[in-house]
Amino acid sequence: MSNEESEQTLIPKDADEQWRKVVHGEIEPVEDNEEHVDAAVIRDYLILRDEAIAVQSVPETDPLNEISKEDARIIYLNAKQEINLRGKNTWVE
């Protein structure tokens, strides 16, 4: 029996939980763990599928992407003013 044949791969008790965490991106997949690799492949597929659906649902000319410089300037100034007002308010108990 060679060393390669005698080596054991231990499957953790929480394999299902780890698989779920890899699919959800909560933990990084371990390259030596076949279940982690499979979960990472499924995660990548789901992300690419959702991106493709999102791209298809957006019209080529989105009116929200078209704004004049003057409109953008007004929005910026209003946001800046609001940030300054909120920054001056302090909570005192």
Side-chain angles (χ1 to χ4, degrees):
M1 190 180 243
S2 70
N3 285 342
E4 288 183 281
E5 293 174 347
S6 66
E7 289 182 19
Q8 295 180 353
T9 303
L10 300 177
I11 299 173
K13 291 180 181 179
D14 63 342
D16 290 339
E17 182 67 18
Q18 286 189 15
W19 187 89
R20 185 194 64 75
K21 286 182 177 183
V22 171
V23 168
H24 289 228
E26 296 172 13
I27 62 173
E28 290 292 320
V30 176
E31 293 180 17
D32 296 345
N33 188 326
E34 189 174 321
E35 290 182 12
H36 281 207
V37 172
D38 291 343
V41 168
I42 290 171
R43 175 180 169 71
D44 291 342
Y45 166 77
L46 293 173
I47 290 172
L48 290 173
R49 183 197 65 179
D50 290 347
E51 286 178 354
I53 291 170
V55 167
Q56 290 174 355
S57 68
V58 176
E60 288 184 30
T61 57
D62 188 356
L64 296 177
N65 290 335
E66 298 173 8
I67 188 169
S68 70
K69 288 182 181 181
E70 186 58 34
D71 289 341
R73 183 177 176 275
I74 291 170
I75 292 170
Y76 172 78
L77 291 175
N78 289 339
K80 185 176 177 183
Q81 183 181 21
E82 184 67 24
I83 289 169
N84 289 334
L85 286 174
R86 290 183 184 191
K88 291 178 183 175
N89 295 335
T90 57
W91 293 94
V92 179
E93 291 185 21

